[in-house]
Amino acid sequence: MTARPGMHTLTAGRGLLFGGDYNPEQWPEEVWPQDAELMRAAGVNLVTVGVFSWARLEPEPDIRDFAWLDRVLDLMHENGVAVDLATPTASPPPWLGHRWPQTLPVDESGHRLWYGARNQFCPSSPVYRERALSIVSALASRYAGHPALALWHVGNEYGQVCHCDESAAAFRAWLRGRHGDLETLNDAWGTTFWSQRYGDWAEIVPPRRAPYTVNPSQRLDWRRFCSDALLEHYRAERDVLREHTPGTPVTTNFMGLFKPVDYWSWAAEEDIVSNDWYPEPGDPLAPARTALTHDLMRGLAGGRPWLLMEQATSAVNWRPHNLPKPPGQFRLESLQALARGADGLCYFQWRASRFGAERFHAAMVPHAGPDTRLHAAVRAHGRELRGLARVAGTPVPARVAMVFDWASWWALEERGRPSDRINATDQLLSYYLPLWERGVSVDVVPPSADLSGYALVVAPNLFLVGDRDAAALTAYARGGGVLVVGPFSGVVDERSHVRTGRFPAPLREVLGASGEEWLPAPDDEPVRCRWAGGAAFTARTWTELVAAEGAEAVAEFADGDLAGHPAVLRHRAGDGVAWYVATMPEAAALGEIAERALVDAGVAGALPRLPPGVEAVRRGDVLFLLNHGAETAAVPLPEPARDLLTGAVADGQVTLAPRDVVALRPGA
Ligand code: GLA
Ligand code: GLA
């Protein structure tokens, strides 16, 4: 097998990538040379072209016009800008839905969704598949060998779901593959409940709008199917591209912790992992949420560099109230992605649209033109990235892993559970936060990952866990690792059937503890707890009646029915240590748990002392310090270092204004 092209194929000879979505079809052709000129001046070296060009490329079925795109690619090439060429299949032209209404998606209630926006296709529609592959193959054969072509961008932000009859047929075929026969399917879905038994495959439909709560096992399989059906379509497009251009890497842009699509299965089918990420400027947790998302991308990329495909220079337009980014903010965010393993920092979009649904979305060239403070900042950022080229390709080493699983996420957040207040991504973030604050690098990994290289593994919530994954977590701790497990874990199997007996059944032995009741707490009543030393802390929302079976109670509940019962447990398991947290502790208490687990694991942060709001992360031989706080921060340094951004030497300490960043290499 020959090695697939990857991020290195793109960065070789170019260094870090900088650019954005370029939609020249929205502008008269006289504007294009101005764009090229401005791109050159800004150090742009990669643009994504053609994401929404299907109607322009194929105005009528099989009538195609590539001449304009030829000129765009030639122009980019003449100006030293590489092209990430998109397949235009995220937004089919009106003719597709008009002539073949069965290509339009249908929602849970049976309503068809129309053209006039974008994303209007059924992932399982044979006609859509055929028309999509036809334009993709024309595009690939035309641009194979074009010197501007550097990367393929398949579709855009996959996430479509369709409940139509063609989807139902595809769902049945998928279910046959998973379960084999109807009896196994009936068992897996627990259809003795509420008289749901299926006697014929034809009776099975997607979970459509129903009078009451739909079967959670059916819904879990449906989510698996929806992710797989889209993946099958992505693969079909990718295979056409690979056939024509085997040396050109292929990606599709992800959306962070995006629920509908299981990115672990998708990333394996890409040459480069890319992500679109739009932190909310008003969210105080945005810096940590963003760091977590970047760490997920690095995990998806198997530790290799990834590409930030889209971010915004300032406000987006799709939230109800769109806060702008203050000066310095987009640079800070861009460098944060770089620090966490991105080799390319790209934006949506190059030139702000005058018309259409996104005309109030920020861009690299705003409506007011290039002579603006925003565009000046874009240029300055492009320039400084050239000075950081040495960072490209370098790894972000991490000794801590956090386990995250889409199937568990899907299974957890169904209706009809003890509490809607416990959710997978909030749990993930709450356990990530204290590690991020301490400058501890984290890899986000799937439960099936090889954990042997990590000193600490945190599973904030594994509501659904398979026997094999539970055994691997057990073996990891028993073999000398440190494992931290959050509440309401190990509850169901892969079919979303409750594992009976004391919980968490498959992790009971390694945790040296087990429980018998889940006890959500009233919203307005903090749960008082006490560390073994006597100090108090509070938790919220969730408690469990748990007993130690070999573990020590590091903290216990202080009040009420649960007073004196363990709230946090630590167990010497074989050669390692396993922690179980049977509640949702406040941030400071989770910080305390993190610190103790880090001590167990012998892991330290990037620097011993970090002021609040300052993020520290090491990439290769560079230490990035990023000030997300509102105050100027002084950070003590253990050794003299030179800032790659300014050339200044820091000795003893470095001072960071709000939103400032340093990229330090040891030595003066
Ligand atoms: C109703 C229904 C039962 C069951 C309970 C659960 O009473 O009749 O079948 O669903 O609610 O509370
Ligand atoms: C997504 C899409 C882009 C654009 C931006 C706007 O990331 O991929 O086409 O709609 O959002 O923020």
Side-chain angles (χ1 to χ4, degrees):
M1 222 176 72
T2 49
R4 292 289 318 152
M7 200 69 210
H8 55 278
T9 324
L10 277 182
T11 50
R14 289 191 189 96
L16 296 171
L17 303 161
F18 178 61
D21 280 52
Y22 180 41
N23 297 306
E25 65 271 38
Q26 297 177 13
W27 296 91
E29 212 157 322
E30 313 80 91
V31 178
W32 302 357
Q34 297 166 31
D35 285 327
E37 186 63 42
L38 288 169
M39 285 177 191
R40 266 227 301 249
V44 165
N45 58 7
L46 182 74
V47 290
T48 299
V49 172
V51 182
F52 300 109
S53 298
W54 193 343
R56 179 79 200 265
L57 291 171
E58 192 176 19
E60 290 172 51
D62 298 317
I63 308 294
R64 303 212 172 107
D65 170 17
F66 288 107
W68 69 275
L69 189 55
D70 294 351
R71 295 195 293 279
V72 171
L73 263 68
D74 292 348
L75 179 69
M76 292 297 106
H77 182 61
E78 284 154 21
N79 286 277
V81 179
V83 170
D84 167 26
L85 187 56
T87 71
T89 51
S91 194
W95 56 252
L96 187 74
H98 177 68
R99 295 189 197 207
W100 292 283
Q102 72 273 32
T103 62
L104 295 169
V106 170
D107 71 11
E108 275 187 311
S109 302
H111 296 126
R112 276 209 191 272
L113 306 182
W114 283 86
Y115 42 85
R118 66 177 183 190
N119 306 334
Q120 73 286 357
F121 64 85
C122 162
S124 301
S125 158
V127 173
Y128 169 72
R129 175 79 45 94
E130 186 198 318
R131 301 306 318 187
L133 296 188
S134 165
I135 184 77
V136 168
S137 123
L139 196 70
S141 65
R142 185 160 190 110
Y143 296 107
H146 193 289
L149 175 67
L151 174 64
W152 286 113
H153 181 294
V154 178
N156 194 59
E157 298 191 330
Y158 279 103
Q160 291 74 9
V161 171
C162 174
H163 295 76
C164 75
D165 290 342
E166 285 181 338
S167 298
F171 184 38
R172 284 178 211 119
W174 183 93
L175 289 166
R176 278 181 201 267
R178 184 171 177 90
H179 298 291
D181 54 61
L182 265 185
E183 199 182 333
T184 312
L185 178 140
N186 276 303
D187 279 352
W189 288 9
T191 55
T192 48
F193 187 82
W194 283 351
S195 184
Q196 291 170 355
R197 188 180 171 280
Y198 295 95
D200 186 329
W201 285 98
E203 293 163 6
I204 297 173
V205 288
R208 290 179 175 158
R209 191 159 169 210
Y212 196 47
T213 313
V214 172
N215 183 323
S217 300
Q218 177 188 2
R219 284 185 42 95
L220 177 59
D221 270 351
W222 170 249
R223 284 191 173 276
R224 289 180 171 124
F225 160 76
C226 289
S227 178
D228 285 359
L230 275 173
L231 181 58
E232 187 185 314
H233 181 81
Y234 160 83
R235 264 206 235 105
E237 289 199 20
R238 180 207 60 192
D239 290 348
V240 169
L241 299 171
R242 280 192 179 164
E243 203 182 297
H244 290 276
T245 57
T248 304
V250 181
T251 191
T252 183
N253 43 348
F254 289 164
M255 288 173 278
L257 284 161
F258 177 67
K259 194 169 174 185
V261 172
D262 175 0
Y263 286 152
W264 295 124
S265 63
W266 280 63
E269 307 285 346
E270 294 186 295
D271 299 317
I272 288 175
V273 166
S274 64
N275 195 40
D276 298 348
W277 192 242
Y278 294 94
E280 151 72 87
D283 171 13
L285 289 178
R289 214 186 285 286
T290 298
L292 169 61
T293 309
H294 296 343
D295 291 356
L296 170 67
M297 290 306 135
R298 211 178 53 248
L300 288 163
R304 287 180 292 278
W306 53 280
L307 174 62
L308 184 56
M309 184 67 86
E310 295 180 23
Q311 52 180 331
T313 56
S314 188
V316 300
N317 74 316
W318 40 261
R319 294 188 176 106
H321 184 60
N322 297 288
L323 296 182
K325 295 183 183 174
Q329 183 68 24
F330 83 75
R331 169 186 186 256
L332 170 67
E333 291 172 358
S334 195
L335 292 173
Q336 185 185 19
L338 174 68
R340 295 195 167 270
D343 270 6
L345 296 315
C346 296
Y347 292 81
F348 180 85
Q349 62 178 330
W350 168 251
R351 196 182 269 283
S353 303
R354 293 165 299 169
F355 42 67
E358 293 181 326
R359 65 205 194 284
F360 296 114
H361 193 291
M364 299 169 84
V365 182
H367 291 141
D371 190 12
T372 46
R373 69 174 185 177
L374 188 130
H375 188 69
V378 166
R379 280 190 188 188
H381 186 49
R383 210 175 308 124
E384 73 182 347
L385 288 177
R386 283 199 292 271
L388 292 170
R390 58 172 298 116
V391 179
T394 60
V396 180
R399 300 189 60 213
V400 178
M402 289 186 88
V403 178
F404 189 79
D405 182 44
W406 261 262
S408 181
W409 185 6
W410 295 332
L412 172 70
E413 294 176 15
E414 280 298 331
R415 290 182 57 190
R417 56 202 169 115
S419 169
D420 286 352
R421 311 272 197 280
I422 182 162
N423 75 60
T425 50
D426 284 354
Q427 284 299 102
L428 184 68
L429 182 63
S430 68
Y431 282 76
Y432 181 82
L433 200 55
L435 298 167
W436 179 78
E437 284 168 349
R438 286 162 179 76
V440 175
S441 290
V442 171
D443 286 345
V444 181
V445 302
S448 59
D450 173 9
L451 302 173
S452 58
Y454 296 104
L456 172 62
V457 171
V458 184
N461 177 264
L462 270 183
F463 172 73
L464 177 158
V465 68
D467 291 344
R468 206 158 16 131
D469 293 340
L473 289 168
T474 301
Y476 163 76
R478 295 195 62 84
V482 178
L483 174 69
V484 177
V485 177
F488 209 36
S489 287
V491 177
V492 301
D493 65 15
E494 283 118 321
R495 304 166 304 172
S496 215
H497 292 199
V498 172
R499 294 171 175 279
T500 54
R502 294 179 67 86
F503 63 78
L507 297 168
R508 179 175 173 184
E509 183 215 321
V510 71
L511 297 175
S514 74
E516 60 193 68
E517 288 179 31
W518 299 296
L519 303 162
D523 282 334
D524 49 1
E525 282 177 31
V527 177
R528 295 204 318 118
C529 304
R530 204 166 26 230
W531 297 110
F537 66 92
T538 51
R540 286 194 179 274
T541 310
W542 185 269
T543 65
E544 297 177 353
L545 173 58
V546 171
E549 296 169 338
E552 62 178 299
V554 172
E556 58 183 37
F557 294 107
D559 290 333
D561 187 32
L562 284 179
H565 290 280
V568 182
L569 300 109
R570 178 178 178 276
H571 183 223
R572 292 212 136 277
D575 296 330
V577 176
W579 290 75
Y580 185 60
V581 185
T583 183
M584 289 165 59
E586 64 185 353
L590 273 179
E592 178 74 29
I593 294 168
E595 279 209 348
R596 295 196 197 182
L598 288 167
V599 170
D600 283 340
V603 174
L607 285 178
R609 272 180 303 138
L610 279 175
V614 174
E615 171 175 354
V617 56
R618 285 185 194 279
R619 181 169 183 198
D621 61 358
V622 180
L623 170 65
F624 284 88
L625 298 174
L626 305 104
N627 188 3
H628 300 282
E631 309 286 330
T632 294
V635 185
L637 296 176
E639 55 184 350
R642 182 183 293 275
D643 179 10
L644 292 176
L645 289 160
T646 59
V649 173
D651 198 356
Q653 74 165 34
V654 65
T655 304
L656 289 153
R659 295 190 283 280
D660 207 359
V661 181
V662 290
L664 300 172
R665 282 193 70 213

